[in-house]
Amino acid sequence: MNDPHDPAPVNPLPPVVVVLFFVIAIPEAAFSLGARGLIGGADAVGWRLSAVQSYGFNGDIVDWMIANWRFPPEHVVRCVTYLFVNSSFTASLFAIVLMLALGKLVGESMGQLAVIILFLGGGAFGALVFALLLNDPSWLVGGMPGVFALIGGYSFLLWQSLAVRGQQQLQAFNLIAILMGLQLIWGVFFGATTLWVADLAGFAFGFSASIMLMPGGLARVLYYLRRD
């Protein structure tokens, strides 16, 4: 007889991570099925492009808002809605896989609210940095800036763990280094873009915000800085 108190072989995902999964996956399923003519009729082929124009982030829109000092809610909200409209099925799948893995780790260590703050906050910060530093008319879409913010949170957790064990703390940044390296290689073969700026800004937000979101995080950072 099985013990009802035996732990599950796979730890369940935090509910907030499940919600983020569905908010990303459902639109992607509609775009992909519509592009193949399986749902929505002839108009469904253009659903992704329409969503990009309606919910994507664009630096020109930010320039217009600043120049006119007008901030319509339907444009302001683009700072986070773009995270849920991916450019392709492959991009969506990559973002979902990383979000599930990193969201689980961050949620179990920092709490579910931290996952939301990092994902949405990192996405918004990445978008604003993208708009203010660059003069790039490209549409910014996809969940990667939010995912990179979760990588920042994961890196902070690893940084703390390595510090406690007295190991080299630079190892905490191996994941971000690998991903940025892959983006560089991808750019060499398939054409470079400036979207990595939003990703890197998202990471910086995630690592910095985790100092405040992790219970006792600021105290630990100050302790290690003083010790060094």
Side-chain angles (χ1 to χ4, degrees):
M1 178 179 291
N2 293 331
D3 186 346
H5 299 291
D6 284 344
V10 178
N11 291 331
L13 291 169
V16 68
V17 176
V18 177
V19 171
L20 286 175
F21 164 77
F22 281 114
V23 176
I24 298 174
I26 290 175
E28 180 56 44
F31 300 151
S32 298
L33 293 174
R36 289 164 175 78
L38 299 177
I39 61 173
D43 292 339
V45 176
W47 280 354
R48 191 187 300 274
L49 178 59
S50 178
V52 168
Q53 295 173 341
S54 298
Y55 303 107
F57 184 87
N58 187 279
D60 289 342
I61 295 176
V62 176
D63 292 341
W64 177 87
M65 289 193 293
I66 294 175
N68 293 277
W69 207 242
R70 294 174 55 192
F71 303 92
E74 64 269 21
H75 291 326
V76 173
V77 76
R78 290 173 182 267
C79 290
V80 293
T81 56
Y82 82 91
L83 293 165
F84 305 104
V85 180
N86 285 278
S87 59
S88 67
F89 175 80
T90 302
S92 181
L93 181 62
F94 192 58
I96 286 174
V97 170
L98 288 176
M99 187 278 296
L100 290 175
L102 294 162
K104 183 177 186 300
L105 290 170
V106 171
E108 291 175 346
S109 299
M110 297 187 192
Q112 297 190 67
L113 180 60
V115 175
I116 287 293
I117 292 174
L118 291 182
F119 189 81
L120 297 182
F125 184 74
L128 291 176
V129 170
F130 176 82
L132 296 176
L133 288 187
L134 304 175
N135 186 26
D136 190 337
S138 302
W139 285 99
L140 178 62
V141 293
M144 290 309 296
V147 168
F148 270 78
L150 292 176
I151 294 174
Y154 165 76
S155 298
F156 177 75
L157 293 172
L158 187 56
W159 181 84
Q160 283 195 125
S161 177
L162 292 169
V164 170
R165 300 198 301 265
Q167 297 179 357
Q168 178 54 258
Q169 291 167 269
L170 286 177
Q171 296 178 44
F173 302 100
N174 285 347
L175 180 57
I176 181 65
I178 291 171
L179 289 175
M180 295 307 295
L182 289 175
Q183 286 200 353
L184 176 62
I185 295 172
W186 180 271
V188 169
F189 288 100
F190 299 101
T193 71
T194 56
L195 302 183
W196 62 269
V197 172
D199 296 340
L200 195 58
F203 173 82
F205 175 91
F207 189 90
S208 302
S210 296
I211 297 174
M212 304 304 297
L213 293 172
M214 182 69 179
L218 180 59
R220 292 190 184 97
V221 170
L222 293 175
Y223 169 76
Y224 292 123
L225 290 176
R226 290 166 181 165
R227 189 182 65 175
D228 294 338

